[in-house]
């Protein structure tokens, strides 16, 4: 019997989830739920498409609903709302608002007897797991997180809001010297500017003042002012040709000390190199949907995070198979 | 109230556990239990030492007993025996015998109402976790494990059994080209010989036939015959000076594909670089002892592995703190 999945929201992430489900034979996609007119949506693989307003009717026909909306405005509303009807998984990634979002989903999920697994993806998500594991194992040490090279959606959006910018994309680039210093186990103090570089590719509107655009970007508080930022102006053709992919990645590194006089050093590192950020995030969501299904069968309710989920629940293999083959 | 820990067995690993406990303020070492005469044992830090034969008397005074014996002969007997009296954590690392050992500990632990957490360390242990996570997330892909550069205890023991060998140590070295090919995401087929090199440092007995020693080592089935092996003969002074440390490390790498036509590639990697294998393994055991204590408070019983333990249980921080600070 396969696990019945619904997808709520069908952008890059929703498409990635649909493709990831097709790689997992123990799962079955019941349908895509959209705010658009269902007739106007063409999924990447054949699939039923329904209006999100009709999802109540699917209450008992879907094991896990994967929420593929954005963190800024969609999920704060959809997370608690969907948890009233379904077991859910989402990729809420506004780090600072996680406690508040957890509480909202927890209250809604507990009231209706569901599980709401929040903030699944790679950061938050897999990176959070590694930060928790690393700091628990090496209690005396320092953890570093680097992101990139990859497209930052938030920073790209910020560029596109600048006057005179027609199109724009921003790549976050970890600075190799800083990564190597973190990796050395010497636990250096690294400033924001030392850790990451921001590289922007901009197509300017005809006749726009490129010097002014560059200055506005580089001095933008919160987004760019604390970083070394490079702005390249390119043609629309070049933009179309070279900047359509959504790669990403990063590193979590912890250096720690053990032993008499703390003389021995150890370095733990986790890294990702991703051709497609949304497709990889989708693969993480799908593995955790399997865990939610199993947890729910065990009668658990309430909000959860990746930190609450043992890895046995993620795999299509049985615990005995995992012990024999992977342990 | 701190977690009361006992250490059973006091070699390199037991010493490492004692030192790791001293780094974790929520833990308290009740005592070391040894098969030797307790009066002859001098711990690295001041601590009570008892005969292992008297451990029954500590049945209700220790929350978790960390078993620091070896996998070849100690643990197959001690694992099930200690699980009758205590919640236990051990580092059983004979991969092929894990299912059998799990069953023996499970039966003993369930009968007495204890938890027996087996095969904790880095491989099996942290590497197993990453293999399970990686293969669950990227279901269409290939996983590679590399070990080293580091001292293999089993291979060093094998060298020392060769006639004419006075002292010997073996380093397992991952071959960089193979690591880079695994890391490329191309999922190459890699033979045993392509993945690791074995480098041996040997002090020969006076007058021994070094050519014969070298041939015996290089042709030894299971241990060396399938690898390119290099044997260096060195003086006892050099051995004392350069080969007393017990470094280790390694890599778990998975390349996987997602998306339409599987066109996007992703690489997940976990790596360790350790100055002291036993001290790092000890740090892992201590973090998992915390998890066992908490699981036991929740009423769980039976044998467990790292794959059954959510990371919230490993950290001294509360779930809410972890969500706010690390997620």
């Amino acid at each position: 019997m396969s696990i019945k999945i619904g997808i709520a929201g069908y952008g890059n992430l929703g498409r990635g989830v649909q493709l990831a489900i097709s790689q997992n034979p123990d799962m079955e996609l019941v349908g895509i739920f959209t705010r658009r007119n269902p007739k106007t949506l063409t999924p990447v693989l054949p699939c039923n498409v329904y209006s999100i307003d009709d999802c109540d009717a699917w209450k008992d026909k879907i094991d896990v609903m994967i929420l593929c909306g954005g963190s800024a405005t969609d999920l704060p509303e959809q997370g608690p709302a969907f948890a009233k009807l379904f077991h859910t998984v989402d990729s809420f990634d506004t780090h600072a608002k996680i406690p508040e979002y957890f509480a909202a989903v927890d209250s809604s999920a507990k009231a209706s007897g569901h599980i709401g697994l929040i903030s699944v993806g790679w950061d938050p998500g897999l990176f959070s797991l590694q930060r928790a594991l690393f700091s628990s194992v090496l209690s005396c040490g320092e953890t570093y997180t680097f992101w990139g090279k990859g497209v930052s959606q938030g920073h790209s959006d910020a560029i596109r809001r600048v006057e005179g910018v027609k199109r724009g994309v921003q790549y976050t680039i970890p600075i190799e010297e800083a990564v190597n210093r973190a990796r050395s186990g010497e636990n250096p103090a690294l400033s924001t500017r030392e850790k990451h570089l921001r590289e922007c590719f901009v197509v300017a509107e005809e006749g726009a003042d490129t010097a002014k655009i560059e200055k506005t970007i580089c001095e933008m508080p919160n987004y760019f002012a604390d970083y070394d930022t490079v702005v390249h102006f390119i043609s629309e053709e070049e933009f179309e040709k070279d900047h359509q992919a959504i790669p990403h990645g990063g590193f979590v590194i912890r250096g720690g000390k053990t032993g008499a006089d703390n003389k021995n050093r150890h370095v733990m590192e986790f890294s990702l190199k991703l051709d497609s950020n949304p497709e990889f995030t989708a693969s993480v969501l799908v593995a955790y949907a399997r865990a939610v299904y199993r947890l729910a069968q065990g009668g658990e309710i309430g909000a959860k995070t990746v930190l609450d989920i043992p890895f046995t629940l993620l795999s299509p293999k049985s615990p005995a198979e995992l012990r024999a083959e992977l342990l």
Side-chain angles (χ1 to χ4, degrees), chain A:
Chain A
M1 208 194 64
S2 53
I3 304 171
K4 295 181 186 63
I5 306 283
I7 295 176
Y10 199 71
N12 284 333
L13 186 59
R15 274 191 292 276
V17 168
Q18 185 180 17
L19 291 162
I21 290 169
S22 73
Q23 288 187 333
N24 286 277
D26 61 337
M27 300 199 174
E28 173 192 338
L29 180 56
V30 174
I32 293 163
F33 296 83
T34 179
R35 283 179 299 201
R36 290 176 264 175
N37 177 347
K39 286 177 190 155
T40 65
L41 192 150
T42 311
V44 282
L45 297 172
C47 173
N48 295 319
V49 183
Y50 306 105
S51 166
I52 213 164
D53 300 328
D54 300 336
C55 72
D56 293 41
W58 298 89
K59 195 173 159 5
D60 301 315
K61 294 168 190 153
I62 285 173
D63 295 317
V64 184
M65 186 67 92
I66 303 183
L67 309 185
C68 298
S71 298
T73 56
D74 301 334
L75 291 175
E77 194 187 299
Q78 290 179 351
F82 274 98
K84 284 183 189 153
L85 301 168
F86 302 99
H87 303 299
T88 63
V89 183
D90 71 52
S91 64
F92 185 80
D93 67 359
T94 313
H95 288 264
K97 293 189 175 165
I98 284 174
E100 183 187 328
Y101 182 67
F102 182 90
V105 172
D106 193 49
S107 138
S108 172
K110 278 195 178 135
S112 64
H114 289 109
I115 291 173
L117 178 62
I118 72 157
S119 299
V120 176
W122 59 273
D123 195 1
L126 306 191
F127 273 23
S128 324
L129 281 171
Q130 306 290 348
R131 286 189 287 258
L133 176 68
F134 293 7
S135 59
S136 300
V137 168
L138 290 176
S139 43
C140 175
E142 203 68 56
T143 303
Y144 301 85
T145 302
F146 294 90
W147 298 273
K149 180 185 175 172
V151 174
S152 161
Q153 222 53 60
H155 289 79
S156 299
D157 289 346
I159 291 178
R160 289 189 288 259
R161 285 192 297 264
V162 172
E163 200 190 319
V165 171
K166 190 173 178 191
R167 304 181 70 171
V169 63
Q170 192 264 191
Y171 298 92
T172 305
I173 302 172
I175 296 173
E176 205 177 329
E177 194 198 327
V179 177
N180 287 337
R181 286 181 63 202
R183 219 173 245 160
S184 73
E186 283 163 24
N187 294 344
L190 294 171
S191 69
T192 298
R193 195 177 296 273
E194 282 174 306
K195 287 177 71 186
H196 296 93
L197 184 78
R198 299 203 175 276
E199 189 172 27
C200 310
F201 291 85
V202 173
V203 181
E205 302 277 6
E206 220 174 298
D209 180 345
T210 56
K212 195 178 158 199
I213 291 173
E214 183 172 349
K215 190 168 184 291
T216 308
I217 291 174
C218 292
E219 293 178 356
M220 199 184 294
N222 302 320
Y223 286 90
F224 294 98
D226 297 336
Y227 298 85
D228 287 338
T229 302
V230 183
V231 181
H232 306 281
F233 290 94
I234 60 174
S235 69
E236 190 140 24
E237 293 67 40
E238 199 178 334
F239 192 91
E240 288 279 354
K241 184 165 69 71
D242 296 337
H243 299 284
Q244 297 309 300
I246 318 174
H248 221 312
F251 309 82
V252 178
I253 300 171
R254 186 172 179 89
K257 295 172 180 182
T258 66
D261 309 320
N262 282 338
K263 83 174 161 62
N264 286 316
R265 287 183 182 169
H266 312 280
V267 179
M268 308 175 75
E269 177 171 341
F270 173 70
S271 68
L272 292 174
K273 204 173 153 224
L274 313 174
D275 271 0
S276 163
N277 185 355
E279 285 179 11
F280 183 79
T281 301
S283 297
V284 180
L285 285 167
V286 166
Y288 276 92
R290 182 180 290 119
V292 166
Y293 172 74
R294 291 172 175 170
L295 272 184
Q297 288 195 311
E300 297 238 12
I301 61 168
K304 308 276 174 193
T305 77
V306 293
L307 301 171
D308 302 309
I309 312 286
F311 291 179
T312 25
L313 298 180
L314 299 178
S315 173
K317 291 177 194 270
S318 73
E321 282 172 324
L322 288 172
R323 285 195 296 272
E325 296 168 22
L326 293 185
L327 199 65

